[in-house]
Amino acid sequence: MGPDKHTVRPGGRGILATAVTVVCAVTVLAAPGTAFAAPSPSPSPSASTSPSPSASPSVTLPPDKDLEAVRDKLDRLYHDAAVATDAYNAAEEAAAKQSAEIVELAKKIVQGQRKLDGLKARAGRAAAAQYRTGGLPDTAQLLLSDNPSQFLDGAGRVLQGERATKGLIRELTQTQQDLKQYAADAADQWNRLETGRKAKAAAKKKIKQRIAAAEKLESTLEKKQKERLAELEREAAYQAQTAWLDTGILDEIHTKASAAGKKAVAFATAQIGKPYVWGAAGPDSYDCSGLTSQAWASAGKPIPRTSEEQWKQLRHIDVKDMRPGDLIIYYDDASHVALYIGDGAIIQAPRPGRTVSIAGAGSMPILGVVRPDA
């Protein structure tokens, strides 16, 4: 159910109609023409109301500070999982690149060996020809020749042959050196691939451990505790978003999306509701950077796979200059990324157990903004 109209903060300029429908069901977002709003308070039972004899016994909720401690621990666990996911994705991307380079080096080695075999064959034929002439010096061949004029005509060809032989030797030597370098490069790539495989395995183990710990912690909560925990999460996100909006930032952001940015936003919007899965880049599930990288790939602009590399390699933009399609990078370690869609909102793949959804751009600590099509 959407927020009560009296709790809505005015000032937004409207979000995609399709997005608003989803947001009203799963987040705290007002109708088009408004900004994010506070969640409606849950009705509390009257003090005079007593449960009927057939009702289930009530669950006494722990103090909010205890649930806040649980929420903080869950946030840390899922944050660690996100960092490990970025490491996993980086290792996977590097492995794909290294494997491709090994294949190319293997082709060069095969081609180089064929070339070397051909050069050796040419050298063998040249040696055989020299053997047939007895290997005599040119002066001796001239004295013994029955036709000195014919010999002198052939002397030029001999000189050319000597030059060709020297060229053959240089080419043969260079080819041997190239083959040696190709082999060394291939061995280096194999070593890197093995190192990356170990890093990938370690990251995968860490991801599973953190997610398992988070799920175990959540499983210890009663239904009402989970509901209250979710409410606390929404309240925290709302407070962060409100503080961000109160800076007047939306009054400064007026830049319209580029043609490619519109395509990226359209792609991301179409993924709303699909589950978060670490290491996934579609089409049925995504992690945070899997969603943003695929959104921009669909717009014809390939970008790095991980949020860390997106932050490192893409052009940085002032928040006040951002436009729909730009990527907002979160946390000091660039462990999360989302696609800005305008009106102070983002589309993101949040974390395990959640789906691709819309949220407030200021609901998490912003590291900065990058633009894929700068």
Side-chain angles (χ1 to χ4, degrees):
M1 181 175 179
D4 183 86
K5 64 181 180 180
H6 298 295
T7 66
V8 174
R9 291 184 73 254
R13 296 183 299 280
I15 297 177
L16 298 173
T18 54
V20 173
T21 303
V22 177
V23 169
C24 289
V26 298
T27 67
V28 187
L29 183 64
T34 61
F36 280 78
S40 300
S42 302
S44 56
S46 169
S48 61
T49 303
S50 58
S52 63
S54 59
S56 301
S58 61
V59 176
T60 302
L61 292 177
D64 279 357
K65 65 178 183 179
D66 293 339
L67 284 176
E68 283 288 1
V70 171
R71 188 174 72 84
D72 287 344
K73 182 158 188 182
L74 286 172
D75 284 347
R76 287 196 300 272
L77 288 169
Y78 282 123
H79 177 265
D80 287 350
V83 172
T85 297
D86 224 32
Y88 176 91
N89 291 334
E92 188 172 58
E93 187 176 38
K97 182 179 179 181
Q98 287 153 4
S99 295
E101 289 178 355
I102 288 171
V103 170
E104 289 303 311
L105 286 167
K107 290 179 180 178
K108 288 181 178 179
I109 289 172
V110 170
Q111 293 169 354
Q113 190 60 56
R114 288 174 178 169
K115 182 178 180 180
L116 185 62
D117 291 342
L119 291 171
K120 287 181 176 179
R122 283 172 56 191
R125 289 194 295 271
Q130 186 179 18
Y131 176 78
R132 284 194 298 273
T133 63
L136 294 174
D138 291 346
T139 303
Q141 291 187 44
L142 174 61
L143 294 173
L144 296 173
S145 174
D146 295 331
N147 189 339
S149 177
Q150 185 178 10
F151 169 79
L152 291 173
D153 290 340
R157 290 192 295 273
V158 170
L159 182 59
Q160 291 177 349
E162 288 178 350
R163 290 172 179 169
T165 299
K166 290 179 181 178
L168 175 63
I169 293 172
R170 284 196 301 270
E171 191 174 4
L172 193 150
T173 301
Q174 183 62 53
T175 300
Q176 288 175 323
Q177 292 174 348
D178 289 345
L179 280 172
K180 185 177 180 180
Q181 186 60 53
Y182 294 153
D185 290 345
D188 182 54
Q189 290 297 340
W190 274 115
N191 290 334
R192 291 185 183 184
L193 192 62
E194 178 62 15
T195 300
R197 185 193 67 77
K198 292 178 180 177
K200 183 177 172 181
K204 182 177 181 179
K205 182 179 179 180
K206 185 175 182 179
I207 294 167
K208 290 188 172 183
Q209 286 176 340
R210 297 301 187 271
I211 292 176
E215 290 174 343
K216 183 177 180 180
L217 179 57
E218 289 178 316
S219 70
T220 64
L221 302 175
E222 300 279 354
K223 180 180 178 181
K224 288 187 178 295
Q225 292 175 324
K226 290 180 180 179
E227 291 172 352
R228 178 56 183 156
L229 185 64
E231 188 177 346
L232 290 173
E233 285 184 17
R234 289 192 295 270
E235 289 175 358
Y238 166 74
Q239 290 172 4
Q241 174 73 355
T242 299
W244 186 67
L245 292 175
D246 284 346
T247 64
I249 187 66
L250 287 190
D251 296 332
E252 300 183 37
I253 301 174
H254 301 291
T255 312
K256 294 182 179 180
S258 64
K262 289 179 181 178
K263 291 180 181 179
V265 170
F267 177 92
T269 302
Q271 312 313 310
I272 289 175
K274 293 183 178 181
Y276 176 105
V277 174
W278 63 267
D284 300 322
S285 57
Y286 297 88
D287 61 22
C288 67
S289 58
L291 176 65
T292 55
S293 61
Q294 288 304 305
W296 273 98
S298 75
K301 178 67 177 178
I303 63 174
R305 170 65 176 85
T306 67
S307 58
E308 185 178 350
E309 290 304 312
Q310 288 170 7
W311 173 243
K312 286 181 180 179
Q313 296 185 36
L314 301 180
R315 180 183 170 188
H316 290 202
I317 300 295
D318 286 341
V319 174
K320 64 182 177 58
D321 295 326
M322 69 180 175
R323 64 192 186 193
D326 287 346
L327 306 183
I328 303 182
I329 310 295
Y330 293 95
Y331 304 107
D332 290 342
D333 53 8
S335 58
H336 187 64
V337 60
L339 190 85
Y340 183 63
I341 59 173
D343 293 328
I346 55 171
I347 291 180
Q348 64 168 342
R351 66 168 175 80
R354 302 289 172 81
T355 61
V356 175
S357 55
I358 293 176
S363 59
M364 297 168 284
I366 295 175
L367 175 61
V369 179
V370 293
R371 178 165 295 164
D373 62 338

